[in-house]
Amino acid sequence: MAAVLFGIAAFASTTRTWLNVQLPATAVQTPDLAVSGSDAATAVTAFAVVAITAALAASIAGPIARWIVSVILLVAGVGVVAASYTVISDPLQGAAGAIGQAIGVSGSTDTVVTLTVMPWLALAAGILIALGGIWMALASRSWTSSRRYAPAPAPADAGTTADGSAPAGPPAGEGATTAPAPGSSAADEGEAPVDDIDSWDRLTRGDDPTTYR
């Protein structure tokens, strides 16, 4: 869940303004530019989506798959950090595409580009995503996997008891267990399923076959 939240934070930061651009006075009169993170660092958006998807997959992954998810989270976190740091270290390069579209020239020395807090937020989220991947690799070794329908134990031989001896029959004159009526099954009588066919019949009707285990 932490990795999902950090991925969402990184993705959300790319929808906000990363760079404020003041164009040179000699250029064609255009308003100042506000460059979003999705334009300044497209890779951050992609890595954030990968991190969110991988973190969600961890909830249903097995032991081996968790290691794979951990590696993906680590790579995604490092990718977010690298892309964010590139913009932080060189804001003008991050805004070059938006400046070129506005005035046709992206290399003007008179252009002033200032950073907002959003690139730093994405950088912090990337670090936390990477740490989440490392933590998952270490902690998931003790996680257990559970399934709704666990395999049923093998039934004992009807002709023998637990110690291998033949079961004693009912005394003479007393009622004995009778087989279900033709065309019906134990599942239809409200009893525990006696074989796989009865279990499938119960499951088809929407009943839980594990109730009788």
Side-chain angles (χ1 to χ4, degrees), residues 57 63-64 92 114 118 145 186 203:
I64 298 178
L92 182 59
T114 56
M118 291 302 164
S145 299
L203 185 61

Side-chain angles (χ1 to χ4, degrees), residues 19-202:
L19 304 171
N20 290 314
V21 181
Q22 295 179 353
L23 298 173
T26 57
V28 177
Q29 291 298 322
T30 57
D32 294 342
L33 302 178
V35 183
S36 66
S38 58
D39 293 330
T42 306
V44 172
T45 304
F47 281 122
V49 172
V50 170
I52 295 171
T53 305
L56 291 174
S59 61
I60 58 174
I64 298 178
R66 289 174 193 150
W67 281 94
I68 298 176
V69 170
S70 300
V71 173
I72 293 175
L73 285 176
L74 179 60
V75 173
V78 172
V80 171
V81 171
S84 302
Y85 182 75
T86 298
V87 175
I88 293 172
S89 61
D90 190 358
L92 182 59
Q93 182 61 34
I99 296 173
Q101 291 180 353
I103 63 176
V105 178
S106 59
S108 176
T109 57
D110 296 330
T111 303
V112 178
V113 182
T114 56
L115 289 169
T116 67
V117 71
M118 291 302 164
W120 294 102
L121 175 61
L123 180 68
I127 294 174
L128 294 174
I129 291 172
L131 292 177
I134 296 174
W135 174 83
M136 183 180 295
L138 299 176
S140 63
R141 293 178 296 179
S142 61
W143 295 355
T144 57
S145 299
S146 62
R147 294 184 178 180
R148 175 61 178 147
Y149 299 110
D157 189 350
T160 60
T161 60
D163 58 1
S165 60
E174 295 185 5
T177 303
T178 58
S184 65
S185 64
D188 298 326
E189 301 296 332
E191 302 173 357
V194 296
D195 55 25
D196 292 340
I197 295 178
D198 287 335
S199 297
W200 275 111
D201 291 340
R202 189 178 298 278

